[in-house]
Amino acid sequence: MPGNRARILVLHPVLSVLDYRVPHGMHVEPGSIVVVPIGPRQYAGVVWEPERLPGGEEVGDNRLRNLIAVADAPPIPASIRRLVEWTADYYLAPHASVLRMAVSSSAAFENAPTIVEYRATGEVPPRLTPQRAQALERIGERQGLVRELATIADVSDAVIRGLVKAGAIEPVVIDTDTPFPVPDPNHAPPDLSPEQADAASILRQAIGAAAFQPFLLDGVTGSGKTEVYFEAIAAALAAGKQSLVLLPEIALTEPFLTRFTERFGCQPVAWHSGLRQSQRRRARRAIASGQAMVTVGARSALFLTYPDLGLIVVDEAHETSFKQEADVHYHARDVAVMRARFEQCPVVLATATPAIETRHQVELGRYEELRLPGRYGKAELPEIEAIDLIQEPPERGRWLSPRLVLAIDAALERGEQSLLFLNRRGYAPLTLCRACGHRFQCPNCTAWMVEHRLIRRLTCHHCGHTVPTPEICPECEAEDSLVACGPGVERIADEVAQLFPDARTAIVTSDTLWSPAKAAEFVHRMEHGEIDIVIGTQLVTKGYHFPNLTLVGVVDADLGLDGGDLRASERTFQQIMQVSGRAGRGEKPGTVYIQTHSPDAPVMQALVSGDAESFYAAETRARREADAPPFGRYAAIIVSSEDKGAADEIARLIGRSAPRLPEMLVYGPAPAPLAMLRGRHRFRLLVHAKRAFDVQDVIREWLGSLEWPAKVRVAVDVDPYSFV
Ligand code: ADP
Ligand code: ZN
């Protein structure tokens, strides 16, 4: 770049690559975080190598505007710049959208080591309006920015500011440079079993080698995968290097943090969507300065700056929630492997049920597999039995078959705990009017409103639209005519209450366990034997270890097979193996019952026989024959707009302009199965290509040659996991 010209990747939704003049006396280098003018406004951006980021050249030297400022923050390192480029190229996302995950736009403007939060003083304001009372009650002991408190209290910012003026809420200065405690690798090391010790020693060597090396840590539930990768973290700590553990957001719970603390003497730095701004800034700064040694985070932790990263672990690596379904459609597992490559460090994918894509990498010799074949200690894997719902149906209007009911009864008798798993929140997935047949549908989405009886609401699980459950049918005005169709966890809990009136039950879903405190309370009650029967969604399939839980009932094992997408069987297998993994983790053996209408389906047979290998072999063969991932590749193009005609027209235009190439097929456009979502009409195209084919390049050129109005959104989803 000649003289004092700099190319900037700007955090602006449209104008993202622009050149500026570096004013006299200002020093910038690639990675510097800067403030730039666009029109009358200021934006944050990052100085980039011009040869790696085309665009911006149009403006002549004499028309360049000056950079406004350079932030007093460490530059974004080259490894992250390469990661941003790779992610943008692979997932066909704007560079600025990816950069936004790595740099907070406030970083350029305010990088002060303190932040002002607010908290209640305990004073009652002279004028206590109902809103003020609600705010003070909901805020309680918590503190945060005005905006955060307003959200907690569900009032406007003005109400909070009024309370500050009235003296009921006061400012507190938070030092965001308070260091985090440093985990001690020698705090409480476990005695490893011989298999665990072998795996741990291979990982320790890899940490020492400080080179890119991907591992699959494949061990049944309860085999001690966590203990083993903790040894790798210990080795990284001993070498003075940082570690990053990625967990699915919902698994980031108290039990994990407690366990980490037991092993290393203090908590790791947690990074997830529930952090307050001050916590976020403190974590970001401590990680970027190298002070924070171990970070445990949801997928977004992947884009933070770690100056000396020695290890990445992706736990529960099979989880599809690592795939982000908004903005940049990236898969955190795959980006984690790329990040390890750019950082030259080992990466460990830990799971009891590896994805076919991951197993394939092992078969190709690209990933090294470390196996833990049995449960740790005396625990045995549970016995799995199928219950054929046609042969042994539940009573009319019920959902639990007699054999499962008997087993629950017996577990209660023995003083042991049971878990009933149904991946459906609420009472019933569909409500209709017995008199006129009216069905309650979301006005914004192609979806039924789900009844939540405990709070007497109907809710759309796609957009959150919620209405009180009506007393009369809005269509025909019949009274008491609404019937619930199908079960959700609340309905199963009702049935359990009728069958076992004395049993103590708990419903575990994101509605009931919405905070770490709630989760901790649930764990406490389970561990102290205050719960006999848990009825839960996939939230209970993750990470919990309850030695007295010996029975698992899968209420509807067929549920996941409905969608008919390419991973349906694989996902059903993984989910049921994971939930089965909750049974019999202590000295007492466990039993799992899976209720199904198709006990002969290969996935059910594999679960019952425990023959995972032949199931995977058959699934892999089917994928190979269909050229499905990992043997072929898909990319989805989703066209959406509030204006149905416009979305339809652009979807057709894209379809018509599809390049005709022998390596690639284009299906559609067709209305998406979820034809309307949050008020936007949706159409889909699906691109199917050979593995080795550079489908991204073709799509980039294809869509790049077309134009559409601003009200139409075109999203590309490379390696899609969702087909709705
Ligand atoms: P996984 O991650 O494979 O599901 P965990 O690491 O959670 O397995 O181990 C299951 C249980 O066994 C945990 O309670 C863990 O503390 C215990 N455990 C595993 N390995 C050891 C060990 N070497 N020493 C003591 N306890 C262990
Ligand atoms: Zn909706």
Side-chain angles (χ1 to χ4, degrees):
M1 188 126 285
N4 51 1
R5 195 177 167 119
R7 179 143 313 155
I8 313 296
L9 180 52
V10 186
L11 291 177
H12 182 283
V14 189
L15 302 167
S16 57
V17 183
L18 294 168
D19 283 359
Y20 288 89
R21 183 185 301 113
V22 185
H24 201 71
M26 182 188 285
H27 172 76
V28 298
E29 57 186 296
S32 295
I33 302 174
V34 293
V35 180
V36 304
I38 294 182
R41 300 193 52 192
Q42 302 190 349
Y43 290 85
V46 171
V47 179
W48 221 266
E49 296 90 331
E51 64 280 9
R52 291 183 165 272
L53 195 65
E57 293 91 348
E58 305 84 43
V59 184
D61 279 350
N62 52 346
R63 287 174 42 230
L64 284 183
R65 296 182 72 180
N66 275 346
L67 291 176
I68 293 174
V70 52
D72 174 25
I76 301 299
S79 59
I80 301 238
R81 300 201 298 278
R82 301 298 82 84
L83 188 75
V84 168
E85 289 161 5
W86 182 86
T87 306
D89 285 347
Y90 188 88
Y91 292 105
L92 290 165
H95 283 70
S97 306
V98 183
L99 182 66
R100 194 175 295 282
M101 303 193 285
V103 181
S104 87
S105 38
S106 63
F109 300 103
E110 30 154 344
N111 201 41
T114 58
I115 202 166
V116 179
E117 290 195 333
Y118 292 84
R119 67 175 172 215
T121 55
E123 302 276 316
V124 180
R127 210 166 51 80
L128 191 63
T129 62
Q131 279 208 317
R132 287 181 162 192
Q134 168 180 328
L136 289 174
E137 182 185 325
R138 297 212 182 156
I139 289 167
E141 307 269 296
R142 286 184 276 192
Q143 61 184 55
L145 306 182
V146 168
R147 186 82 280 281
E148 290 166 343
L149 293 185
T151 307
I152 292 170
D154 197 13
V155 297
S156 69
D157 291 12
V159 173
I160 305 293
R161 274 192 236 105
L163 284 165
V164 175
K165 271 214 189 82
I169 288 182
E170 65 180 358
V172 243
V173 177
I174 305 286
D175 179 357
T176 52
D177 274 355
T178 313
F180 287 91
V182 176
D184 172 5
N186 301 317
H187 178 75
D191 286 327
L192 297 179
S193 71
E195 296 83 17
Q196 292 175 341
D198 286 349
S201 109
I202 293 172
L203 292 180
R204 237 180 267 118
Q205 272 171 28
I207 302 282
F212 171 60
Q213 200 179 348
F215 292 96
L216 167 60
L217 177 56
D218 175 5
V220 298
T221 51
S223 58
K225 294 184 292 298
T226 316
E227 298 296 341
V228 169
Y229 75 68
F230 276 1
E231 290 316 289
I233 294 174
L237 279 168
K241 292 188 176 258
Q242 294 174 292
S243 303
L244 165 62
V245 181
L246 290 182
L247 288 174
E249 180 113 20
I250 56 168
L252 249 180
T253 46
E254 276 322 283
F256 183 89
L257 300 178
T258 308
R259 197 162 157 195
F260 186 94
T261 307
E262 281 162 8
R263 170 66 182 84
F264 293 106
C266 66
Q267 293 222 340
V269 177
W271 179 269
H272 54 83
S273 60
L275 295 184
R276 309 199 306 270
Q277 178 103 37
S278 63
Q279 295 171 313
R280 202 164 271 276
R281 195 189 293 175
R282 179 178 171 215
R284 191 189 276 279
R285 287 168 71 91
I287 293 167
S289 75
Q291 192 275 318
M293 296 307 288
V294 183
T295 304
V296 177
R299 59 183 178 228
S300 57
L302 199 49
F303 288 90
L304 298 173
T305 295
Y306 305 81
D308 199 4
L309 194 57
L311 169 70
I312 303 177
V313 176
V314 184
D315 199 357
E316 312 283 6
H318 61 280
E319 270 289 320
T320 48
S321 64
F322 281 123
K323 178 74 195 298
Q324 173 153 299
E325 297 293 358
D327 302 329
V328 182
H329 290 246
Y330 72 100
H331 198 307
R333 175 198 64 203
D334 298 346
V335 178
V337 173
M338 285 316 291
R339 172 118 204 210
R341 179 187 285 255
F342 291 128
E343 299 283 351
Q344 286 298 307
C345 74
V347 53
V348 179
L349 310 185
T351 167
T353 51
I356 287 180
E357 283 83 350
T358 307
R359 294 173 68 104
H360 187 60
Q361 296 291 335
V362 172
E363 279 155 24
L364 293 176
R366 295 194 188 137
Y367 293 5
E368 180 172 349
E369 185 176 27
L370 305 173
R371 287 197 94 140
L372 300 175
R375 279 194 163 172
Y376 174 74
K378 295 206 179 65
E380 295 282 334
L381 280 172
E383 190 71 31
I384 303 185
E385 289 182 31
I387 295 179
D388 182 342
L389 286 172
I390 298 173
Q391 299 291 331
E392 304 176 55
E395 280 176 40
R396 237 183 97 77
R398 298 227 158 139
W399 312 96
L400 305 177
S401 87
R403 182 141 54 108
L404 180 53
V405 173
L406 279 179
I408 301 171
D409 198 24
L412 278 172
E413 210 45 47
R414 294 192 304 270
E416 295 170 4
Q417 293 165 316
S418 303
L419 163 63
L420 297 176
F421 170 69
L422 177 64
N423 206 15
R424 225 193 236 143
R425 289 154 52 211
Y427 186 85
L430 166 65
T431 303
L432 55 76
C433 169
R434 197 186 293 121
C436 74
H438 175 76
R439 298 167 168 215
F440 287 82
Q441 198 183 348
C442 174
N444 313 317
C445 307
T446 314
W448 306 124
M449 299 288 283
V450 178
E451 183 185 359
H452 286 248
R453 196 163 279 191
L454 298 176
I455 53 167
R456 301 219 194 106
R457 296 275 191 281
L458 297 176
T459 292
C460 169
H461 285 181
H462 292 285
C463 72
H465 178 73
T466 300
V467 294
T469 309
E471 313 260 321
I472 57 171
C473 173
E475 192 69 29
C476 71
E477 302 190 348
E479 282 178 39
D480 290 327
S481 68
L482 304 187
V483 274
C485 300
V489 284
E490 291 179 8
R491 195 169 198 177
I492 301 300
D494 261 11
E495 184 171 336
V496 167
Q498 285 164 26
L499 291 166
F500 308 107
D502 297 330
R504 296 157 304 168
T505 62
I507 297 178
V508 175
T509 69
S510 53
D511 301 317
T512 61
L513 245 62
W514 42 268
S515 73
K518 290 271 174 196
E521 183 195 321
F522 163 66
V523 170
H524 181 89
R525 287 173 58 212
M526 277 300 276
E527 284 174 346
H528 289 77
E530 292 164 22
I531 298 171
D532 300 309
I533 305 171
V534 182
I535 301 108
T537 58
Q538 57 156 352
L539 202 60
V540 287
T541 66
K542 305 285 163 337
Y544 292 117
H545 180 72
F546 301 124
N548 199 36
L549 198 161
T550 56
L551 175 70
V552 168
V554 178
V555 176
D556 184 353
D558 307 335
L559 198 58
L561 293 175
D562 285 352
D565 81 58
L566 78 111
R567 295 185 182 84
S569 298
E570 183 190 10
R571 232 178 266 175
T572 297
F573 181 80
Q574 291 168 333
Q575 194 167 56
I576 295 180
M577 283 303 281
Q578 292 290 337
V579 67
S580 303
R582 296 314 111 204
R585 291 173 72 94
E587 308 223 328
K588 302 172 194 159
T591 313
V592 178
Y593 292 93
I594 51 183
Q595 300 197 132
T596 171
H597 285 97
S598 36
D600 295 329
V603 51
M604 304 304 163
Q605 298 269 324
L607 287 162
V608 171
S609 66
D611 187 0
E613 287 314 312
S614 55
F615 171 73
Y616 271 116
E619 276 293 300
T620 307
R621 205 174 322 117
R623 296 263 192 105
R624 194 190 293 273
E625 278 159 16
D627 266 333
F631 305 101
R633 175 189 281 298
Y634 288 114
I637 302 174
I638 302 126
V639 183
S640 69
S641 175
E642 287 176 12
D643 176 345
K644 184 173 181 187
D648 191 11
E649 189 186 315
I650 298 304
R652 281 168 206 262
L653 169 70
I654 292 175
R656 271 200 310 277
S657 339
R660 303 205 193 294
L661 298 166
E663 301 89 345
M664 184 180 109
L665 279 170
V666 179
Y667 303 100
L674 201 54
M676 189 158 81
L677 178 64
R678 294 188 194 92
R680 299 178 73 87
H681 299 271
R682 305 166 76 241
F683 294 83
R684 293 182 70 106
L685 296 99
L686 188 66
V687 181
H688 185 189
K690 296 248 186 293
R691 182 83 213 164
F693 183 65
D694 191 343
V695 72
Q696 284 93 340
D697 249 10
V698 172
I699 294 177
R700 199 177 291 118
E701 213 164 287
W702 166 18
L703 296 182
S705 69
L706 303 175
E707 283 184 19
W708 48 82
K711 64 183 170 184
V712 175
R713 201 181 297 151
V714 178
V716 184
D717 186 0
V718 176
D719 302 341
Y721 278 67
S722 162
F723 293 84
V724 295

